[in-house]
Amino acid sequence: MKRTMPAPWTLIPDADLSARNTFGVAARAPLLAEVHDPAALPGLFTDPRFDAGRAMVLGGGSNLLFAADPDGPLVALAAGGMRIVGDDGRNVVVRFDAGASWHGCVMWSLAQGLGGLENLALIPGTAGAAPIQNIGAYGVEVGEHVVAVEAFDTRSRAMLRFTGDECGFAYRDSRFKREPDRYIVTAVELALSRDAEPRLDYAGIRDELAAMGVDAPTPALVAEAVVRLRRRKLPDPAVVGNAGSFFKNPIVPAPVAQALAAGHPGLPVYRGDGEGTRKLSAAWLIEACGWKGYRDGDAGVSAQHALVLVNHGGATGAQLLALARRIAASVQERFGVPLEPEPRIVGASW
Ligand code: EPU
């Protein structure tokens, strides 16, 4: 019997994207290519049905806002494997295919007895998207663990491998984010450990562990504390559409932060990326301007967390973007601080 090879990709014309973005806004793409094997990417990019010059990558759709329909094809990587590729008994390198669910990767690592990712539990999205915006939470950023990122370079059409240092990680930023759509991340390799020290310094973690009755925290217990905190503090995208923090915490020169903090007691100020900079709490600035829980039609600001824009049902991407601009303008006016969106905005510029 003749056996046919499964097609390396599936093409979906006029694809409905409303269930493929966690804001749940209506959007359609002229074509969606679901790629089952990343080795097929060079072939896809020469397929005449595929408008390679306008292609955009779609991960879990948890960090983007469709302000308009994309005008080119979308690429989604389907492979979601997880395996150990290096192990000296103590330090372990794991490899995740781009299509794997990030939270699934965190739980899988913990089940292998590997620590390092526990503070990043329950972040929506895929493993392939994690290095793009250098996901971070509760005092840990994924970039700290990245050994290598493999990516298809849509410009040279070559498969490349970047070391962690070559990824240019910064707060919610990387070389992949700075050149949108140039690279399609196909796999990530992360350094984990069998005896990692849990990182408990971020506000709330120790209290949550205490409330759980834990006095000897393991990585798995820290993950559980993070899950409990996130469930309580952040709206669940399965219940109300959202993309997590809509704004980055602004990084300002230290003297600016000092002056603002002097005038506004209670404003949280954290260390910045460099010596002379500080990071301010965008949530605090937004709440101080009265936006928390605000609603205009179906576009709103979460009543749980001021940094999270929500779609109560039928909001369009354009309505959410208009609300985001009003929020940023009011923070700018009152505090003189510009806010930058964290998610990618498709079909409009900020
Ligand atoms: N705050 C308010 N009002 C609010 C919420 C928070 O004033 O409605 C103030 C409080 O003072 C609070 C402080 O902001 O103590 C910090 O809040 P939180 O711990 O929730 O952290 P965040 O700075 O607002 C960042 C990340 C989150 C991540 C948390 C926890 C960014 C843009 N966001 O938020 O990431 O989960 O820290 O580590 O850096 C995401 O990126 O989508 C995301 C959810």
Side-chain angles (χ1 to χ4, degrees):
M1 197 173 76
K2 196 172 157 221
R3 290 182 55 183
T4 48
M5 291 288 288
W9 59 72
T10 307
L11 295 182
I12 306 166
D14 188 27
D16 182 355
L17 304 174
S18 47
R20 289 179 180 263
N21 74 94
T22 59
F23 259 125
V25 299
R28 302 192 85 82
L31 189 70
L32 172 67
E34 272 184 348
V35 177
H36 310 295
D37 177 1
L41 281 168
L44 175 67
F45 273 68
T46 54
D47 188 305
R49 291 166 296 176
F50 186 82
D51 183 0
R54 291 175 196 269
M56 181 193 135
V57 196
L58 181 66
S62 56
N63 202 48
L64 56 78
L65 175 63
F66 288 115
D69 286 344
D71 61 0
L74 300 195
V75 183
L77 295 190
M82 306 169 195
R83 63 197 161 96
I84 288 176
V85 291
D87 191 345
D88 71 3
R90 184 173 170 196
N91 300 302
V92 176
V93 177
V94 296
R95 181 181 172 94
F96 303 137
D97 291 335
S101 118
W102 173 259
H103 181 64
C105 293
V106 173
M107 298 317 279
W108 178 87
S109 304
L110 293 168
Q112 316 300 309
L114 303 175
L117 304 180
E118 53 278 4
N119 298 43
L120 305 178
L122 211 63
I123 295 182
T126 58
I132 295 176
Q133 65 143 341
N134 186 17
I135 57 170
Y138 298 98
V140 175
E141 290 181 346
V142 74
E144 299 167 43
H145 293 277
V146 170
V147 173
V149 171
E150 288 182 4
F152 175 66
D153 180 359
T154 61
R155 201 177 293 170
S156 68
R157 309 269 164 100
M159 287 291 184
L160 303 179
R161 184 179 165 91
F162 298 99
T163 64
D165 285 345
E166 290 168 342
C167 292
F169 290 122
Y171 168 61
R172 294 294 195 274
D173 201 21
S174 72
R175 76 179 299 160
F176 312 107
K177 193 168 177 185
R178 288 190 283 273
E179 283 190 87
D181 298 324
R182 171 159 179 194
Y183 300 106
I184 299 179
V185 173
T186 56
V188 293
E189 291 184 6
L190 305 176
L192 303 181
S193 165
R194 292 195 201 282
D195 58 4
E197 245 335 275
R199 299 256 288 269
L200 310 174
D201 287 337
Y202 194 93
I205 297 218
R206 287 181 204 279
D207 288 348
E208 197 65 34
L209 287 164
M212 288 159 58
V214 171
D215 46 13
T218 61
L221 288 165
V222 172
E224 198 183 320
V226 166
V227 166
R228 287 166 56 123
L229 276 166
R230 288 187 73 102
R231 284 205 204 285
R232 203 163 61 235
K233 297 200 171 205
L234 294 167
D236 179 355
V239 177
V240 59
N242 75 84
S245 302
F246 193 85
F247 296 100
K248 291 191 267 192
N249 285 328
I251 294 178
V252 299
V256 172
Q258 219 170 359
L260 279 168
H264 304 281
L267 168 65
V269 178
Y270 313 101
R271 63 186 167 79
D273 269 348
E275 240 323 291
T277 62
R278 298 287 182 273
K279 209 191 290 178
L280 306 176
S281 163
W284 191 95
L285 297 171
I286 293 167
E287 183 169 346
C289 289
W291 290 105
K292 193 169 180 175
Y294 175 87
R295 180 169 177 169
D296 178 8
D298 275 350
V301 177
S302 169
Q304 267 168 286
H305 202 299
L307 207 41
V308 182
L309 293 198
V310 289
N311 174 9
H312 288 285
T316 64
Q319 287 166 342
L320 287 158
L321 180 60
L323 174 58
R325 288 185 173 136
R326 287 171 62 201
I327 293 168
S330 76
V331 168
Q332 172 79 54
E333 193 184 311
R334 168 123 184 247
F335 296 104
V337 176
L339 292 183
E340 294 275 335
E342 191 201 73
R344 172 168 186 186
I345 296 168
V346 178
S349 55
W350 176 247

